[in-house]
Amino acid sequence: MEENCEIEFPAFPYKPYPIQMDFMKFLYKSLDKGGISMLESPTGTGKTLSIICSALQWLVDKKRQESTKSAVGLNVQVNLGNEPCLDNDAENEPDWMRNFVPNKEPDPCKKKKRNEKKKYGFQSKEIRSEKENDEIIRDMFNRGEEEEVEVNVNNKEGKNVKVKVRVDQEDEEFLLEEYESEEESGGTLKRKNAGVNVCSSSDEEEEEGLGDEEEEVRLKIYFCSRTHSQLSQFIKELRKTTFASELMAVCLGSRKNFCINEEVLKLGTSTRINERCLELQKSKKNEASKTKNLGAGKRGHRTKASSGCPMLRSHKIEKEFKNEIIQLEPLDIEDLVRIGRSLGTCPYYGSRRMVPAADLVVLPYQSLLSKSSRESLGLGLKNSVIIIDEAHNLADTLISMYDAKVTLSQLNFLQSHLEGYFQRFRNLLGPGNRRYIQTLMVLTRAFLKILLDDGKVASHVDPLFDSEEIENALGSSMAINEFLFALNIDNINLVKLLQYVKETNLIHKVSGYGDKVAVSQKGSTVEDGEAMNKEESAVSCFRALADMLFSLTNNDGDGRILISRPRQTCHGQEGHIKYVMLTGEKIFSEVVNQAHAVILAGGTLQPIEETKERLFPSLQPDRLHFFSCGHIIPPENILPIVVKHGPSGQSFDFSYKLRSLSNMIEELGLLLCNLVTVVPEGVVVFFPSFDYEGKVYDAWKSSGILTRIMKKKRVFREPRKNTDVEAFLREYKETIDALSTTNPTSCNGAILFAVVGGKISEGINFSDGTGRCVVMIGLPYPSPSDIELIERVKHIEGLEETTSSQTPKSSVDGEHRNGDVQTGFHILRSCKGRGKEYYENLCMKAVNQSIGRAIRHINDYAAILLVDVRYASDPAKRSFSHSTGKLPQWIRSHLVTTAENYGEVHRLMHQFFKFHTSKGSNQ
């Protein structure tokens, strides 16, 4: 579109407000320019609808321009008499090409007659090589023979001894294919397994239910957000526009949200559902495993575990699912699941098949930002547009996706499985398989040693590192190279090891054999898939180890290794080794470099400088565009106040040292006793943590304050389990609706005790009566005892080298112990620049997200109370300063900081709600 043309957005279903028009125009022009843009628009201003109408209008205009150019080019070509050449036009082929018949390749679906191999006899006096023994026993597997034989092997001392080996046909499925080591061929499967060659039917041609015909790659917009509920809300907003019928949109999600296989769903956790789904697809790919050769013409059937998922057996129904979706308006996850259930086909893989034909792909953060997920889904980002909503914590969200963790129990489980498998099959495995399995056993033993040896390290220490420094660091964190040297595993080629694990299907072979042994030891059989129902499956343990090993291949400065040894606590703290990624620049650049434009949107994105420095520090200034708009509500609809004192005059200071004092907790209770008498309908109170909320609640219950509050408001407490939140919020809203219409002198609403960083503080809307007043208790700084946080702060500040040997050890188990907190404070106080800024920003972002839950539309109104004297104190006098300048502009411009006593606060609140109550009654 021409620069001087007025951009219009006819798809916007309402008359847009001026700030919405400004937002849409800026986004449209940003897409034209390309690069990275950050757009800030307060929640409740129609941000989602503005994004849809602007971005999709740009997409439609862009496609129209490309179509026009293509048509012009075709006309020019026709006018010049140059008809397009059709490669497959047989009439234009010369006679010699049409008559040419190539030599046909042998039909892989025709079974070859097996060459009967000579039956070997085992003579006890004969000394054979290890390779000859491998060939003999493997041949017996192929022939289906079962007998006990003597073979010659070298023992630990290098002497040749005879051992008896039981060749059990039932264990054949767990035997790995031969694998040549890197010295022989660079690490490849020899693929000489004498299995049955089986044709794949049209319904069984895909590894993971995919394999449709290739579609033309087209210009796409990818929209991603944090939660599935936010994606569903996006689809609902999309349906309000004409684009719902003009463009093809598809919604992607997790297996847990999409799965309709009840046997898989009952596994519960996302990890186990993913494992079982992939296992079913793997068994489907290996169709040869449906039957097995038992020798002498006998054939037998595998268990139903090898038959694949029943929801992916009909290619015809899968196409029917696709055709039905194409004819309907954009569908969210619930809609896709409903259709999948009605047709009896998998909506997870069904939605993935729609991606190539889609103009708009709606998906969670993880699916787009994780490289492995992108590759698995086949998402092509080249020249596409990527819109990331709720981008206020993008940097931390991105790097957390690349964290890895393996626990003590997982390592013990793995060690047991690996040793059992190796003991059973060592004489049947080739040298490549033996070498790599032994390497895995060495690694698991090294990891176990570092967790159980109470700080002792391997005798080998690289001379670059001081041994005392390493021993101290093992109690908290280490760089990758330090960790590898300390465990004496620096000489292991992890890249080739991971390649081996990926190519050989080792995980499922070892896990399957281990599960079989466990079942046989119990003396009972289990139903298919029951082995996956235990808390920790062997497959998940292997994946945890593989993720950790992959993390160790990163650059030394990209992250840190955290070591937490088992501790005797009331919670039974388990030891673990964890890798924490510290920089997201390299990860995000993979996305930015491919896409035409990347849009970061959110209610509050300030400070943008921090995001820029952490994700794209080398970006040229002219390639970063920023836009921020005000709120649509009138000034009289919001009352933000800093509450410095309680009703009895006690000063509010909820810093870590003071917030648990009895007088502070009592004064806060008196404040709420007064608030519930003046605030109608719903009040939402945000506490810094679940622990503090519990401590305050118990104190109020004992003192009688809770009873006084409940005389005016029914009390609700945020549940810890996310699965309980939806029903909890429904009851909260229904209570307000019911009680607010009764006698105002009695119980007239509800009060909700929520937690900053919990489910309610992000993504939950408290519009109208559900959030007439939001109370923020204190400044919710993250705990200084969080070792992951401290490592991030050190990295951002640039303190990695200077603090590692100068500061005392800190805990890695997350417990709030005095020594740990003091260590964290010591590091934080040493920060003067970006690290300190980052720590303060974490606090204020949490505040902004929480208090932004209330105002949701132009006629909404609410009071916002910031309860802590530090919100109004002189920044120069604070050890850890926050800044009210980091509040959203629409709140900051109306913030009342001059109320010196609670009487003034109460008077302002009374006037505010009296005005809106009378205003509502007059309408």
Side-chain angles (χ1 to χ4, degrees), residues 895-914:
L895 184 65
V896 178
T897 61
T898 56
E900 293 302 325
N901 55 66
Y902 176 73
E904 292 185 48
V905 174
H906 197 86
R907 179 179 59 82
L908 290 170
M909 296 277 287
H910 179 76
Q911 292 176 348
F912 178 78
F913 288 110
K914 182 179 180 180

Side-chain angles (χ1 to χ4, degrees), residues 73-85:
L74 184 60
N75 288 335
V76 170
Q77 192 175 29
V78 170
N79 291 336
L80 291 175
N82 296 328
E83 295 185 4
C85 177

Side-chain angles (χ1 to χ4, degrees), residues 108-148:
C109 292
K110 290 184 179 179
K111 299 175 184 176
K112 297 179 180 179
K113 184 177 180 181
R114 294 191 59 164
N115 296 322
E116 291 294 330
K117 294 185 179 180
K118 177 181 177 183
K119 186 173 181 179
Y120 291 90
F122 288 86
Q123 300 176 6
S124 59
K125 294 182 180 180
E126 183 180 354
I127 303 298
R128 296 185 181 88
S129 69
E130 192 173 354
K131 183 176 181 180
E132 288 175 321
N133 284 331
D134 291 344
E135 292 289 344
I136 293 171
I137 298 171
R138 187 175 294 277
D139 183 59
M140 294 183 67
F141 264 102
N142 295 336
R143 293 174 58 82
E145 299 177 5
E146 297 186 20
E147 56 181 282
E148 192 174 82

